[in-house]
Amino acid sequence: MTDNWVAVCPLAAVKSGEMTLEDAAGNEIVLASVDGQVYAFDAICTHALGYLDQGDLEGHEVRCPLHEGRFDIRTGAVLGGEPQEPIAVYPIRIDEDTVYVAMPED
Ligand code: FES
């Protein structure tokens, strides 16, 4: 399996300490900026379809708006709450002020 680098949005669209819902080749992902680093992860919670961009971001922890499941946006690991499965996280690269995300190819 190889990765497919997808141009997602301008770097300026990812504000420090905030999350933004984006489309990466038909996949809904969230970009978040924490301490100058951009992270990419699946938008939909693994528990029951909550949109994580509508939750809260505290440091590297995102909290789902539906049942307060918590994930580490660096690894996707579950930190607490109802979810049993981690969220997918994706490598990112910044090139000429554009954010690229590596989406796995089938
Ligand atoms: S949908 Fe996210 S914790 Fe339930």
Side-chain angles (χ1 to χ4, degrees):
M1 191 165 73
T2 57
D3 287 336
N4 180 28
W5 287 98
V6 177
V8 175
C9 69
L11 180 58
V14 192
K15 307 264 189 269
S16 180
E18 296 184 8
M19 298 184 283
T20 175
L21 179 65
E22 300 289 343
D23 177 282
N27 302 286
E28 290 180 306
I29 64 164
V30 176
L31 296 181
S33 174
V34 178
D35 295 337
Q37 179 76 41
V38 177
Y39 299 90
F41 50 95
D42 271 344
I44 311 243
C45 180
T46 56
H47 176 232
L49 307 183
Y51 271 82
L52 296 173
D53 64 296
Q54 294 171 18
D56 295 317
L57 182 66
E58 267 192 49
H60 295 98
E61 179 180 304
V62 63
R63 183 175 308 222
C64 179
L66 291 192
H67 315 102
E68 302 196 343
R70 295 179 289 117
F71 301 91
D72 188 320
I73 66 171
R74 296 168 292 191
T75 63
V78 177
L79 298 176
E82 300 289 334
Q84 301 295 313
E85 298 292 326
I87 51 172
V89 297
Y90 303 100
I92 74 119
R93 149 166 94 75
I94 315 280
D95 193 5
E96 296 191 355
D97 291 333
T98 297
V99 180
Y100 291 80
V101 175
M103 303 302 293
E105 286 184 342
D106 297 328

